[in-house]
Amino acid sequence: MNKALRYALAVVLAGLGLLLGAQQAMAAADGPIKLEVAGDGGRNVNVLATWKKDGSPVTEVLTATLFAESPDGSRTFGPVPLMSAPEGQNLYNPSELLPDGEWKVTVKATKPSKAQASTKVTSGEVANVPTTEPLTTAKMAERAVAAEESASELPLLQIGIIGGAVIAAVVVFFVLVRSRRAPVR
């Protein structure tokens, strides 16, 4: 085989590798999302959006609303849209602050995928009680182990595609080398 054909084959194989990598990146961005809702200790609510599959931040635009209801059902707040918070790319806050009081806050997302989460929040100028339990050393270790396990898993389809591409490249290489060495008649 001539030199131009080998270069063309190398470009095709490199393109295949890039295509597989891009496909994997897009696959990670698809699927269900997870919302974590918590009060900030004042009158605001923080919503963290991550992908359920791997826990990575949702970097796409999130379309979501917040609705709050008092425990006895006598007062309601919202729905108000969520806006991106300046503190992080996957952190969102409601466009209006919660009125003072106890609230059951529900956040519903519609884009990039549907999700819903609820929590109880105490809203006021001074935080009385933390709305989440403290993060202990055991819980941090548990989260680290879970993150390690999810990061080490490769989908079987991806392994199969990459393996098939490598085998095809090796076969093409040997065919090209053998055809160069074949005697001319």
Side-chain angles (χ1 to χ4, degrees), residues 56-116:
S56 63
V58 173
T59 56
E60 297 178 25
V61 175
L62 180 76
T63 304
T65 56
L66 177 139
F67 179 78
E69 184 175 17
S70 63
D72 62 2
S74 64
R75 299 185 325 161
T76 61
F77 173 76
V80 294
L82 294 183
M83 299 179 353
S84 182
E87 293 86 8
Q89 66 182 357
N90 64 326
L91 183 64
Y92 294 85
N93 301 119
S95 58
E96 300 175 32
L97 297 176
L98 278 174
D100 290 346
E102 297 281 327
W103 298 98
K104 179 185 179 200
V105 175
T106 302
V107 175
K108 291 183 181 180
T110 57
K111 184 180 174 187
S113 70
K114 292 184 179 184
Q116 180 174 330

